[in-house]
């Protein structure tokens, strides 16, 4: 976790150290995410679940034509449902929840549609730190779900800026490692990745 914190702190300092002539805007961002768990073994059937994120954000327009950087610190809630077929062919469903603080830092490239609007593309790393319950019992206490303390992912997306204040975006958050692991009492382990589609709105002051 110390390694992730150091990388996140370094990235934030790089944003803060932007040239004096750069334009900086602060704002608030919120949105929803649709999480899809993917297990390394096909003994569980996952399905998507809608969550949300919210927090402060800043945008830096660099003195290089069409380039900028944005960074946020957000509370991110994710939930995913998955099912398990027991020996008698009955189906048991469980929902696991993840509460985390995430720090996405994106490089963005935009082009104007006149003075009123701008379309931009963005990509960058995201650092996540779990702040909720990392250990959960599932399937009537016959298995344990354990989340990792921290995680690293990549965002790729597109957005639009209107009147230099209101922003809408959609992106895919790609996990670069396992989000957690489920362990059954018989010793069977099943690791999972947690990718998500995210739709966000931001207002910059």
């Amino acid at each position: 976790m110390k390694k992730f914190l150091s990388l996140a702190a370094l990235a934030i300092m790089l944003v803060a150290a932007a040239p004096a002539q750069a334009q900086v805007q602060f704002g608030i961002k919120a949105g929803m995410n649709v999480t899809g768990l993917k297990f390394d073994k096909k003994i569980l059937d996952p399905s998507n679940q809608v969550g949300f994120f919210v927090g402060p954000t800043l945008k830096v327009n660099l003195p290089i034509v069409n380039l900028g950087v944005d960074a946020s610190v957000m509370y991110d809630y994710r939930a995913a449902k998955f099912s398990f077929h027991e020996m008698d062919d009955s189906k048991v469903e469980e929902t696991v929840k993840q509460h985390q603080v995430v720090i996405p830092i994106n490089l963005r490239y935009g082009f104007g549609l006149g003075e009123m609007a701008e379309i931009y593309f963005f990509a960058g790393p995201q650092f996540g730190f779990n702040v909720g319950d990392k250990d959960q019992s599932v399937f009537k206490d016959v298995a344990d779900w354990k989340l990792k303390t921290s995680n690293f992912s990549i965002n790729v997306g597109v957005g639009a800026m209107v009147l230099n204040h209101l922003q809408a975006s959609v992106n895919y958050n790609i996990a670069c490692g396992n989000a957690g692991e489920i362990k059954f009492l018989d010793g069977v382990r099943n690791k999972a990745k947690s990718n998500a589609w995210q739709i966000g709105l931001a207002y910059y002051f």
Side-chain angles (χ1 to χ4, degrees):
M1 183 173 181
K2 291 182 179 179
K3 181 179 179 181
F4 283 108
L5 286 173
S6 298
L7 289 171
L10 176 61
I12 291 173
M13 285 190 291
L14 289 174
V15 172
Q21 62 268 39
Q23 297 178 351
V24 180
Q25 290 180 279
F26 293 91
I28 184 76
K29 184 176 183 179
M32 72 173 186
N33 50 50
V34 180
T35 303
L37 278 180
K38 183 178 180 181
F39 291 97
D40 60 354
K41 298 176 183 176
K42 297 185 180 300
I43 60 175
L44 298 171
D45 299 319
S47 58
N48 291 330
Q49 189 86 1
V50 175
F52 67 91
F53 54 89
V54 62
T57 185
L58 67 83
K59 180 170 69 74
V60 181
N61 294 321
L62 300 174
I64 304 174
V65 177
N66 298 333
L67 285 182
V69 178
D70 64 59
S72 308
V73 179
M74 297 184 294
Y75 168 73
D76 183 291
Y77 169 79
R78 300 187 183 191
K81 181 184 294 183
F82 52 86
S83 58
F84 175 71
H85 292 275
E86 297 186 312
M87 296 296 293
D88 60 359
D89 205 30
S90 61
K91 185 177 180 181
V92 181
E93 292 186 336
E94 287 283 355
T95 299
V96 295
K97 301 176 181 179
Q98 182 180 32
H99 304 266
Q100 58 180 344
V101 173
V102 297
I103 306 174
I105 302 170
N106 300 306
L107 179 66
R108 49 196 287 163
Y109 175 82
F111 53 92
L113 300 175
E115 298 182 356
M116 302 291 290
E118 177 192 60
I119 299 294
Y120 68 95
F121 300 91
F122 64 95
Q126 177 170 294
F127 308 90
F129 308 95
N130 281 311
V131 295
D133 188 2
K134 302 177 185 65
D135 298 288
Q136 304 171 36
S137 294
V138 294
F139 297 129
K140 301 178 182 179
D141 298 328
V142 300
D144 292 318
W145 170 253
K146 185 176 182 64
L147 289 166
K148 294 180 65 176
T149 301
S150 58
N151 57 78
F152 177 76
S153 57
I154 299 292
N155 290 316
V156 179
V158 62
M161 189 78 154
V162 180
L163 299 175
N164 202 35
H165 290 288
L166 184 61
Q167 174 183 286
S169 63
V170 59
N171 70 275
Y172 192 56
N173 178 242
I174 307 167
C176 295
N178 294 317
E181 179 184 69
I182 186 169
K183 180 181 178 182
F184 290 87
L185 295 182
D186 59 7
V188 175
R189 296 173 181 266
N190 203 354
K191 296 180 179 180
K193 284 189 175 183
S194 178
N195 298 329
W197 282 101
Q198 298 181 312
I199 300 173
L201 287 175
Y203 184 84
Y204 289 96
F205 303 100

